[in-house]
Amino acid sequence: VLRIPERMLITMDMVKTRPLQSKIIASGYKVRSEHSFMALFLLEEMHKGRDSFWWPYLQTLPLQRNISPVFFPPVLLKLLANTITLQTIRFRAEALRDEYSQLCA
């Protein structure tokens, strides 16, 4: 049996207690996805660099942005022309841009 101490887990409950995430929640703004809270947490911790408790874990994450179709270059998106997949990717990209704009306002 493998046991992982709770302090070693990044959970949504833990992430939501962070100051910036708590401010967003208190403001009444409804994020499109709770993944936004997790992404914000990861960005905050990456910004701390080696001072982050989570630094060893962060070093295992991929640095490439093109692992998600939202970040595919135009040459790859062109291969999906006239498909529902391309429409879905564009919708998601627009939603992410919108949420980013709202959170930065």
Side-chain angles (χ1 to χ4, degrees):
V1 173
L2 175 67
R3 295 185 190 271
I4 301 173
E6 190 170 343
R7 68 180 181 81
M8 300 301 290
L9 299 175
I10 301 173
T11 66
M12 193 59 71
D13 288 337
M14 181 271 290
V15 166
K16 286 181 174 180
T17 66
R18 301 291 291 255
L20 195 49
Q21 288 83 335
S22 294
K23 275 183 152 179
I24 293 168
I25 293 167
S27 76
Y29 177 76
K30 301 291 182 205
V31 294
R32 292 178 187 250
S33 166
E34 288 193 334
H35 290 118
S36 297
F37 292 127
M38 188 65 69
L40 184 55
F41 167 79
L42 292 172
L43 288 171
E44 289 174 311
E45 293 303 312
M46 290 176 96
H47 181 72
K48 292 178 185 177
R50 294 184 184 278
D51 292 334
S52 170
F53 172 81
W54 301 103
W55 181 250
Y57 167 71
L58 296 173
Q59 293 301 285
T60 70
L61 299 177
L63 295 177
Q64 297 173 329
R65 292 185 341 180
N66 64 354
I67 60 173
S68 168
V70 171
F71 301 109
F72 281 0
V75 67
L76 289 180
L77 293 175
K78 189 175 180 180
L79 298 172
L80 298 171
N82 303 314
T83 67
I84 190 74
T85 302
L86 182 57
Q87 292 173 351
T88 302
I89 292 168
R90 287 186 174 153
F91 176 78
R92 181 66 181 138
E94 182 60 34
L96 287 170
R97 281 190 291 273
D98 180 56
E99 182 147 283
Y100 176 80
S101 295
Q102 293 291 323
L103 289 172
C104 291

